[in-house]
Amino acid sequence: MSLIVNGVEVPAPADARVSLLDHLREGLHLTGTKKGCNQGACGACTVLVNGERILSCLALAVQYDGRQVTTIEGLADGDALHPLQTAFIEHDGFQCGYCTPGQICSAIGMAAEAERGVPSYLSDDLSADVALTRAEIQERMSGNLCRCGAHNGIIDAIRATVAA
């Protein structure tokens, strides 16, 4: 069994009970993904699996055999930051920065969901194209908490890149 993490094939943990989060942080030493609540309530551990956002603290690593896992470390292209990473800097989308990796991965997954037409709680017409308004982004990002008050910068950064 193996996973593909940030484009590199890596072995799955020997212990089938290891969460994807713990495998990334402790097994692979990719510490960008954060352990917040470890209960799926804060979003700090959000990563992308085959382009979809998941909470890695609630997932067993062995569930993702053969799948593409992308962490915050895998978004940059060499020294060039992902456009959303740059926007977080430009729009002051972080203070302590603890939630930032999960926020960025979640926003990328959220944009893909909207592009596919996946509705949210705010969707009036389930067959209409999704308009990523400020309210729509806030609703779709509600599973990612920011405790230090950078919420407006986070939403501005997402609107500047993903919603553009």
Side-chain angles (χ1 to χ4, degrees):
M1 291 185 75
S2 64
L3 307 114
I4 302 157
V5 178
N6 299 330
V8 178
E9 188 172 345
V10 298
D15 185 346
R17 299 170 296 172
V18 173
S19 71
L20 180 57
L21 173 61
D22 287 340
H23 186 52
L24 293 170
R25 290 185 57 80
E26 297 170 21
L28 302 176
H29 307 290
L30 295 171
T31 57
T33 305
K34 303 301 184 210
K35 184 179 279 193
C37 67
N38 209 30
Q39 297 177 355
C42 73
C45 67
T46 305
V47 298
L48 301 168
V49 175
N50 291 349
E52 294 187 18
R53 57 187 172 165
I54 68 155
L55 299 170
S56 63
C57 72
L58 297 180
L60 297 175
V62 296
Q63 291 176 276
Y64 297 96
D65 179 34
R67 296 195 192 165
Q68 299 275 344
V69 177
T70 304
T71 68
I72 192 73
E73 292 93 343
L75 294 177
D77 184 11
D79 289 337
L81 294 177
H82 185 280
L84 192 52
Q85 290 172 310
T86 301
F88 263 65
I89 294 167
E90 291 171 353
H91 293 273
D92 294 324
F94 58 91
Q95 286 179 29
C96 76
Y98 199 82
C99 72
T100 304
Q103 295 274 4
I104 291 172
C105 287
S106 188
I108 292 169
M110 179 266 310
E113 291 165 8
E115 191 173 305
R116 290 192 315 270
V118 176
S120 78
Y121 176 77
L122 295 180
S123 300
D124 289 327
D125 182 354
L126 300 182
S127 63
D129 288 337
V130 174
L132 289 176
T133 63
R134 182 174 196 83
E136 185 73 29
I137 292 170
Q138 288 172 319
E139 169 62 25
R140 289 174 181 264
M141 293 295 294
S142 64
N144 290 79
L145 304 179
C146 171
R147 291 177 174 91
C148 65
H151 181 76
N152 287 327
I154 290 167
I155 300 301
D156 291 344
I158 294 169
R159 289 190 75 200
T161 55
V162 176

